[in-house]
Amino acid sequence: MAKDHPAGYALLPNSIDLAHGYWGLIRQFGESYGSSSPVSTSAAQMNGTDREERFDLQEKLCLTGLLLTRACMKMVFNPAQSFKYQQPEDREEKNRSKILVRETLLSDDFARTAMETIVTHYFVFTKQDLEEWGEDPEEWEQSQEYTGDDWEISLRTCAEKLFSDLMIHFKDLLVHPLLTVFESVATLENDDVMLKDSIYAAVGIAAPVLDKYPSFNLSHFIENVLSQEVQKPNPGYAIIRRRAAIFLGQWLPIKEGLNRPLVYQIFRRLLEEDDNMYGQVVRITAARQLKNVIDSFEFAAGPFQPYAPEIISRIMFVARETSLPETKLAMLQTLSTIVVKMEEQIVPLADEIILFLQLLWQQAEEFHLLQQIMLGVLSALCTAMQAESRRYHPVIIPLIESSIEPSSNSRIYLLEDALELWTIVLSQTPSENITPETVAMVRLLFPLYEVASENLRKGLEITEEYIYLIPSEMLINAAAILKPLASILGTVKRDATGLVTSLVDLFIQSAANLGGSRGVEQLIQPLFSSNILTVLLSGLHDAYVSHQTTGPNRQASQIDGVVETDYWNVFARLVVVNPTLFLSTLRKIPHGGQTEGLKPIDETLGWLLTEWFSHMDSIGNPAHKKLNCLALTSLLGLGQPWMLSRLQSLMALWTDVVGELVTDYSQQQDVQDMRDSLVYENPNYSKPESESPGDARRRILEYQEPIHRIDIRTFIREKLAAAVDSCGGMDRFQSEWIQNVDQDVVKSFGALGIV
């Protein structure tokens, strides 16, 4: 009731007395809860079953008391907020409850007593802890990893949560006494291991609070006390070594300016092989907590580099010596964090890591979560090593294949991580080093093209990587690849449709780069047979019809403005490569629901150009807008009446695009240096210091793009001159076409200085 209806509980008769009674039981039980010796006793020394049952009952009652106290603290300091309207009497009841609990239960004296009781009695190892540590170290260590709502069923964890609440809400009262006790206990002369462990645990849990108190000199403690204590061979100091790992894992993520090399030395010591039965728990805990140390904001690979080989080797040893999959998983997570954070500095250790993962993969066939983490480690390694990672392809490629084969039992668990690794492998592979095994994996893409596939996006991204990597081979198989993609258009979300049209655009670019206009002509047949062009033209016709109707009878378009832009980009790419080829292709494409014959080209061009020009204002991306402007200008160069009659729309478009793209690059006030801002004069204009092979391929192809090679003003001037010549000269051009253009439009275009 205190949890769900706190205000009502507080006003119940004797409710505060009940809370006090529970706390009295907690204090009394605490006297016998912890162990006074760091050495475990035999189970035979227990005083019988009756005592065990009585102990369990008292422990459950104490857990109830701790939960009750936490609920009361939440009511006072963090009351639940509600949007529901509350009557004045309800608000008054809540206020009375808070005041009553604050004054009669959660007093300053109670806070001091509660902190002392928790730290000195419930943070201490129990006899059962010591026995289980000695009997099954790995199982006991795993049982100490609390997650989620474990605090509601575990006495120790609930006590830690209550202690944290007390430190947050009574920090001004409790910080000084806690630090006073800590300073008196944290000395090399003090060998009371149990007391030290409990005090260190309290200071670790209170790290977010104590971090704001400059009087607490954490660096001094680590350098002069903790670093010495982890080396003591005294009996029971395995408990302190375990606590040291946890303590550093709690403090390093939030504390700046610490001596990190010394911390790495401490962890190296904690990870040492030890025949002592207590050593395994220390090693596992240290490897687990190292993840928090490495994953902190202040981590830098340089200071860690000298210690990395030994630490990584010992983490892999811990993973090999453990038997629980959960423990191996924790070791792999730490290893993955180290690989990610060290980036290229992990390269000298890659051989050892790959060998370890290869052996562990065979042992983890039934534990797919382990294999997921291993795939993640391989992804991080390939990213760090870039092109050098190709020497591991004989190991990596079979792992990817076995994870994504449709018949594989592990596919459902490993597919997402395997696809990510596949993408990285392709991106980091130089074109000259592609292997037949990597090329053969293209066949595994087709199951990913299913409309309902959750991994459709990743499959399209991998297809794109292949087109950049092996354009010739992908163009040879274009028909097989494009056919399933046609069914995706118009049936998936906007972003997936954009990926498909980008792939088609990339196919056209690759064909043009490899074979020019002739190469694109050979691609037309796969575009036809796959039905891609029909889907695109039908979608644009549907948008045109929708825009021609108004009112309640308006026909809704099946594609929105963003998708329509994607469709136009494909047609624009074809036009820029060869406008004549585009027109001959357009004659053959059925659209608009026709089932017999083809519509005349003039009729098709009529609605097509109308929709194209009307959509230009909806294109926000400057590169896409320039591409479409180049396409429409290319059609003008043919000198056909169906385009010359739209000269006014063209001039308005030119004025808009040139005004947007042409910028003055001059650094002097009286000198103008007008340039097309999308034209790249240097192919290495955006080359970073460290560039993956995949990024290099993208950069080179981008530089070859007409968008970045053609100055828009020069292109307009050339195509306009071609149109004038096709009309028989400037006089005839002006009399037949220019006179039909609005003079304000002509004047605005003339101000650009193109002609």
Side-chain angles (χ1 to χ4, degrees):
M1 183 174 181
K3 178 181 178 181
D4 298 329
H5 306 285
Y9 166 79
L11 298 178
L12 283 175
N14 301 319
S15 61
I16 303 300
D17 293 338
L18 176 63
H20 280 296
Y22 266 116
W23 194 255
L25 178 63
I26 291 170
R27 294 185 63 185
Q28 180 182 354
F29 179 68
E31 299 291 338
S32 60
Y33 179 71
S35 173
S36 59
S37 170
V39 181
S40 65
T41 58
S42 169
Q45 294 178 297
M46 296 290 290
N47 293 331
T49 305
D50 292 342
R51 185 178 185 277
E52 291 181 28
E53 293 178 353
R54 186 169 64 254
F55 190 90
D56 289 343
L57 176 61
Q58 290 177 319
E59 186 172 338
K60 291 178 181 178
L61 290 173
C62 289
L63 176 60
T64 303
L66 292 175
L67 292 172
L68 176 60
T69 306
R70 283 208 77 201
C72 291
M73 289 194 68
K74 182 179 180 181
M75 176 184 65
V76 173
F77 298 107
N78 296 302
Q81 303 296 321
S82 174
F83 291 103
K84 183 179 178 181
Y85 174 75
Q86 296 179 338
Q87 297 290 340
E89 52 269 24
D90 293 334
R91 292 196 295 271
E92 177 62 26
E93 180 183 273
K94 287 188 175 183
N95 290 332
R96 285 192 293 114
S97 299
K98 288 173 60 176
I99 295 172
L100 176 64
V101 173
R102 182 68 175 87
E103 294 179 350
T104 60
L105 177 62
L106 303 179
S107 63
D108 290 353
D109 289 339
F110 171 82
R112 293 191 193 95
T113 303
M115 183 191 75
E116 179 183 351
T117 300
I118 291 172
V119 174
T120 58
H121 297 313
Y122 290 94
F123 283 1
V124 179
F125 270 76
T126 66
K127 293 182 178 66
Q128 183 180 1
D129 287 330
L130 295 173
E131 290 163 6
E132 291 179 355
W133 183 341
E135 292 170 0
D136 192 344
E138 187 180 349
E139 189 71 48
W140 179 83
E141 193 280 337
Q142 178 60 34
S143 70
Q144 301 305 299
E145 289 301 308
Y146 306 110
T147 57
D149 293 332
D150 286 347
W151 62 270
E152 294 185 337
I153 58 175
S154 168
L155 183 62
R156 169 69 181 249
T157 314
C158 189
E160 292 178 354
K161 289 287 187 180
L162 180 57
F163 172 77
S164 179
D165 292 342
L166 289 168
M167 291 303 300
I168 291 172
H169 300 299
F170 293 92
K171 53 180 175 290
D172 294 336
L173 179 69
L174 301 180
V175 165
H176 179 69
L178 176 62
L179 292 181
T180 301
V181 174
F182 175 77
E183 291 171 0
S184 65
V185 170
T187 64
L188 295 176
E189 295 76 21
N190 182 7
D191 287 327
D192 188 343
V193 171
M194 294 309 213
L195 179 59
K196 274 190 171 183
D197 181 72
S198 62
I199 298 300
Y200 291 0
V203 174
I205 294 170
V209 175
L210 297 179
D211 182 46
K212 298 177 175 60
Y213 285 80
S215 59
F216 178 46
N217 193 341
L218 180 64
S219 295
H220 178 272
F221 167 67
I222 294 175
E223 294 172 5
N224 297 285
V225 180
L226 194 64
S227 62
Q228 302 299 317
E229 287 183 329
V230 298
Q231 301 181 52
K232 281 190 174 184
N234 304 34
Y237 261 78
I239 292 176
I240 295 300
R241 286 192 285 275
R242 171 184 175 272
R243 178 58 57 191
I246 298 173
F247 183 91
L248 294 172
Q250 292 168 323
W251 271 100
L252 266 291
I254 62 175
K255 187 68 175 179
E256 298 179 355
L258 296 177
N259 186 347
R260 283 184 170 264
L262 178 60
V263 171
Y264 303 142
Q265 293 175 30
I266 293 174
F267 273 95
R268 183 176 61 183
R269 168 67 181 89
L270 297 176
L271 287 164
E272 285 181 356
E273 296 182 32
D274 189 349
D275 294 334
N276 190 302
M277 67 177 180
Y278 297 109
Q280 187 180 27
V281 168
V282 175
R283 289 193 297 275
I284 295 174
T285 304
R288 191 190 297 272
Q289 294 298 325
L290 183 61
K291 178 180 182 296
N292 297 329
V293 175
I294 300 297
D295 205 21
S296 57
F297 177 76
E298 206 177 30
F299 174 84
F304 182 68
Q305 179 66 35
Y307 310 96
E310 200 168 355
I311 287 178
I312 290 176
S313 179
R314 291 176 181 177
I315 290 174
M316 292 189 291
F317 168 79
V318 174
R320 285 192 295 267
E321 76 169 343
T322 58
S323 57
L324 291 179
E326 295 84 359
T327 306
K328 291 182 182 291
L329 178 64
M331 302 303 100
L332 281 173
Q333 289 173 333
T334 300
L335 180 61
S336 176
T337 302
I338 293 174
V339 171
V340 171
K341 300 289 281 189
M342 290 193 68
E343 297 179 336
E344 67 275 3
Q345 295 193 42
I346 197 66
V347 173
L349 307 173
D351 288 347
E352 185 180 2
I353 295 174
I354 289 290
L355 179 60
F356 163 72
L357 294 176
Q358 191 175 6
L359 296 174
L360 188 58
W361 183 277
Q362 299 171 0
Q363 302 171 11
E365 290 183 353
E366 300 301 323
F367 304 106
H368 302 302
L369 193 56
L370 284 177
Q371 293 180 325
Q372 287 180 357
I373 299 298
M374 283 186 267
L375 291 173
V377 175
L378 289 172
S379 296
L381 267 178
C382 290
T383 300
M385 299 185 69
Q386 295 191 357
E388 290 299 317
S389 64
R390 66 184 182 274
R391 70 174 187 261
Y392 300 124
H393 285 188
V395 175
I396 295 175
I397 297 301
L399 297 185
I400 297 175
E401 285 187 298
S402 65
S403 301
I404 62 180
E405 280 280 4
S407 59
S408 172
N409 295 329
S410 60
R411 186 176 192 269
I412 188 174
Y413 307 103
L414 305 180
L415 180 59
E416 185 174 345
D417 296 280
L419 291 178
E420 182 63 31
L421 176 57
W422 191 3
T423 305
I424 292 173
V425 165
L426 295 177
S427 177
Q428 303 296 344
T429 300
S431 300
E432 62 273 14
N433 296 119
I434 187 70
T435 62
E437 291 78 13
T438 306
V439 175
M441 287 177 64
V442 172
R443 62 183 174 80
L444 298 173
L445 286 171
F446 296 105
L448 302 176
Y449 295 151
E450 298 175 4
V451 174
S453 170
E454 296 180 357
N455 297 284
L456 171 62
R457 168 182 285 275
K458 183 57 68 174
L460 296 175
E461 291 177 1
I462 294 173
T463 306
E464 183 179 70
E465 290 290 349
Y466 267 113
I467 298 174
Y468 280 111
L469 182 62
I470 47 172
S472 298
E473 291 83 349
M474 294 297 284
L475 285 168
I476 292 172
N477 298 284
I481 296 171
L482 292 172
K483 188 173 182 61
L485 297 184
S487 62
I488 297 175
L489 291 174
T491 60
V492 292
K493 294 181 179 179
R494 174 193 301 171
D495 54 349
T497 297
L499 285 174
V500 174
T501 53
S502 295
L503 285 181
V504 177
D505 189 0
L506 186 57
F507 265 120
I508 299 172
Q509 290 184 65
S510 300
N513 288 338
L514 292 174
S517 179
R518 178 65 179 167
V520 176
E521 187 176 353
Q522 293 178 356
L523 180 64
I524 291 298
Q525 182 54 41
L527 289 173
F528 262 123
S529 61
S530 65
N531 214 34
I532 288 278
L533 294 178
T534 301
V535 174
L536 294 178
L537 191 60
S538 296
L540 294 174
H541 184 265
D542 186 69
Y544 166 76
V545 173
S546 174
H547 295 153
Q548 302 308 307
T549 56
T550 58
N553 296 323
R554 180 179 180 179
Q555 179 176 324
S557 175
Q558 295 181 2
I559 61 173
D560 60 19
V562 175
V563 173
E564 185 176 351
T565 299
D566 294 334
Y567 285 15
W568 284 124
N569 289 340
V570 175
F571 280 171
R573 181 72 62 186
L574 287 171
V575 174
V576 170
V577 172
N578 190 330
T580 304
L581 176 62
F582 169 75
L583 292 177
S584 64
T585 302
L586 190 63
R587 290 186 173 91
K588 306 172 185 177
I589 307 175
H591 64 276
Q594 66 191 84
T595 57
E596 295 182 2
L598 296 171
K599 295 183 178 180
I601 185 63
D602 289 346
E603 181 181 341
T604 300
L605 285 171
W607 68 261
L608 187 76
L609 292 173
T610 298
E611 180 64 20
W612 205 337
F613 276 109
S614 68
H615 184 73
M616 288 299 297
D617 288 336
S618 301
I619 302 177
N621 186 304
H624 292 166
K625 197 166 190 175
K626 180 178 178 180
L627 176 63
N628 284 268
C629 181
L630 292 175
L632 291 170
T633 306
S634 295
L635 293 175
L636 175 68
L638 299 177
Q640 297 297 315
W642 42 261
M643 198 64 193
L644 289 167
S645 62
R646 299 175 185 272
L647 196 56
Q648 178 165 313
S649 298
L650 262 175
M651 286 187 171
L653 175 62
W654 291 336
T655 304
D656 177 35
V657 173
V658 172
E660 181 178 354
L661 297 183
V662 176
T663 306
D664 185 4
Y665 281 79
S666 173
Q667 302 296 323
Q668 302 177 15
Q669 293 184 352
D670 300 331
V671 178
Q672 282 192 333
D673 182 14
M674 307 300 292
R675 303 183 200 170
D676 186 333
S677 59
L678 290 181
V679 172
Y680 302 151
E681 297 180 358
N682 181 1
N684 298 320
Y685 78 99
S686 61
K687 183 179 180 180
E689 294 182 4
S690 178
E691 184 180 43
S692 70
D695 291 338
R697 287 190 288 269
R698 292 173 184 272
R699 177 177 53 79
I700 293 172
L701 186 61
E702 183 182 18
Y703 176 72
Q704 296 171 345
E705 270 242 52
I707 297 172
H708 303 303
R709 298 292 296 155
I710 298 176
D711 186 299
I712 185 67
R713 296 167 301 168
T714 303
F715 192 78
I716 292 172
R717 186 182 301 114
E718 292 174 354
K719 297 303 177 182
L720 190 56
V724 170
D725 291 341
S726 66
C727 293
M730 179 60 73
D731 293 338
R732 186 173 177 184
F733 180 73
Q734 287 184 335
S735 63
E736 292 186 4
W737 304 110
I738 293 294
Q739 68 174 0
N740 298 322
V741 180
D742 186 281
Q743 291 305 304
D744 289 336
V745 174
V746 175
K747 184 178 180 181
S748 297
F749 172 69
L752 298 176
I754 294 177
V755 293

